Amino acid sequence: MKIFLDGQLVDEKDAVVSVFDHGLLYGDGVFEGTRIYDGNIAFLKEHLDRLFESAKVLMIDIGMTKEELIQATVDTCKANGLENGYIRHVVTRGAGTLGLNPYLCKKASVIIIAASIKLYPQEMYDNGMKIITAGTIRNMSEALNPRVKSLNYLNNIMAKIEAINAGVMECLMLNPQGYVAEASGDNVFVVKGNKLTTPPTWCGALEGITREKVMDLAREMGMEVEETVMSRYEIWTADEVFLTGTAAEVIAVIELDKRPIGNGKPGPITNKLIEAYRKLVVSDGVRIG
Ligand code: PXG
């Protein structure tokens, strides 16, 4: 496998960073997960916009323009003959000293890995997934804004551990006020009648790219779409619930905390959105040509 590292395509074995990199020492860096479908890097510009915004908040200078990063992403996919897969962009603060001071890190490292990821088994897309509410509370947005897709994912990982320990693969996370934020690695949506709702980002959600695209698709389907504060009550009593994410795409949730949602099967709106999303990912994005 060829990895893009600091301006060059290198062999996987040579793709190494310093032990003094603050990405490793402090989780000081940002990342993106993007998918390529039949040679189309889905929503690449939107993902890179978010990467640059996350970096700006942390005052990390990526040292490349968006256009250069698009080209580097295309080149990395081509070098690996990757037409279908998962792309990870990582920008670390770079090598510095033992000490928090980021100004002592000379240059950010830019990494692009073009590989694959398989999140959930097919059975879960057909029949939906059961989830639990994690006891781990979502980071308070006023302290570390969840809109920053940083390399510090401990909050999400703590929740993910709870899910796996409980025998499920994903979990709902609540914010410090007890309202629904998102899942550990996906956004959450509720269908009730002809209305689709999802928590606003200030409730502790990442501004997911899939989330934005699914809201657009639902509006095109004639649904009313709203970002609203919600508690678990709205989820337990929903007609349908689903999760969205680059890796997960759109996946039905059929049970939360042992309460079946709707009739306990993936609902018609969810299935329609799954289908519409799968059409969109092959057309909306940057083709590797
Ligand atoms: N919320 C969080 C906390 C995420 O990490 C999403 C929502 C969905 O956002 P997008 O833009 O992808 O629609 C994410 C992104 C994994 C994994 O292995 C998941 C993500 C990122 C990296 C790894 O589950 N999801």
Side-chain angles (χ1 to χ4, degrees):
M1 193 191 291
K2 292 279 187 197
I3 310 282
F4 179 92
L5 174 63
D6 298 334
Q8 282 180 317
L9 282 163
V10 298
D11 282 336
E12 191 179 331
K13 65 172 173 23
D14 300 319
V16 291
V17 293
S18 164
V19 293
F20 292 100
D21 192 308
H22 282 206
L24 173 70
L25 291 174
Y26 303 114
D28 185 357
V30 293
F31 79 104
E32 273 303 320
T34 306
R35 291 270 287 268
I36 176 170
Y37 295 87
D38 295 343
N40 181 57
I41 309 174
F43 326 128
L44 178 61
K45 291 197 174 97
E46 290 87 337
H47 281 280
L48 294 184
D49 284 346
R50 188 171 64 186
L51 185 78
F52 274 80
E53 283 187 4
S54 292
K56 184 169 190 181
V57 172
L58 300 182
M59 296 184 80
I60 294 175
D61 178 7
I62 294 179
M64 288 172 79
T65 63
K66 258 178 224 173
E67 291 66 34
E68 286 169 342
L69 210 44
I70 288 172
Q71 192 56 50
T73 309
V74 168
D75 293 346
T76 309
C77 290
K78 279 187 170 166
N80 290 289
L82 191 79
E83 298 232 314
N84 286 283
Y86 182 82
I87 303 159
R88 177 63 58 91
H89 292 86
V90 185
V91 180
T92 73
R93 180 78 65 181
T97 58
L98 295 178
L100 289 181
N101 190 350
Y103 292 106
L104 299 177
C105 301
K106 286 204 180 65
K107 198 172 176 296
S109 259
V110 179
I111 300 161
I112 307 171
I113 309 167
S116 63
I117 191 172
K118 190 154 179 12
L119 196 60
Y120 304 125
Q122 183 58 40
E123 183 272 324
M124 280 193 185
Y125 289 92
D126 299 336
N127 303 322
M129 70 191 310
K130 298 178 179 183
I131 65 171
I132 57 148
T133 305
T136 302
I137 295 297
R138 190 80 180 96
N139 279 339
M140 192 179 164
S141 1
E142 292 78 7
L144 176 58
N145 198 311
R147 290 178 72 178
V148 176
K149 204 162 162 58
S150 85
L151 291 181
N152 190 323
Y153 251 52
L154 289 177
N155 186 219
N156 314 64
I157 290 166
M158 296 271 287
K160 185 87 174 180
I161 288 171
E162 288 186 64
I164 294 165
N165 287 353
V168 293
M169 293 187 75
E170 187 47 289
C171 56
L172 191 72
M173 296 185 77
L174 305 179
N175 69 17
Q177 289 74 39
Y179 295 108
V180 174
E182 59 178 342
S184 76
D186 299 299
N187 290 109
V188 63
F189 282 88
V190 164
V191 178
K192 187 90 171 174
N194 192 41
K195 195 166 173 182
L196 183 68
T197 53
T198 192
T201 55
W202 61 263
C203 277
L206 178 78
E207 194 168 17
I209 310 291
T210 319
R211 173 184 181 272
E212 300 299 308
K213 298 290 174 181
V214 162
M215 286 198 281
D216 289 344
L217 289 171
R219 283 189 196 103
E220 283 167 25
M221 281 164 46
M223 291 189 80
E224 194 186 333
V225 179
E226 208 176 80
E227 295 182 40
T228 49
V229 179
M230 60 173 81
S231 67
R232 285 189 295 174
Y233 181 94
E234 279 74 31
I235 302 210
W236 289 329
T237 60
D239 294 340
E240 303 178 31
V241 172
F242 60 82
L243 305 179
T244 64
T246 300
E249 303 180 316
V250 180
I251 189 163
V253 174
I254 52 157
E255 185 186 292
L256 171 65
D257 305 326
K258 299 289 179 199
R259 284 128 170 123
I261 289 159
N263 64 1
K265 294 195 178 77
I269 306 280
T270 306
N271 285 336
K272 249 174 106 173
L273 284 167
I274 291 176
E275 207 178 303
Y277 183 76
R278 288 193 173 155
K279 283 202 183 113
L280 190 66
V281 292
V282 289
S283 58
D284 184 347
V286 173
R287 292 210 68 84
I288 61 171

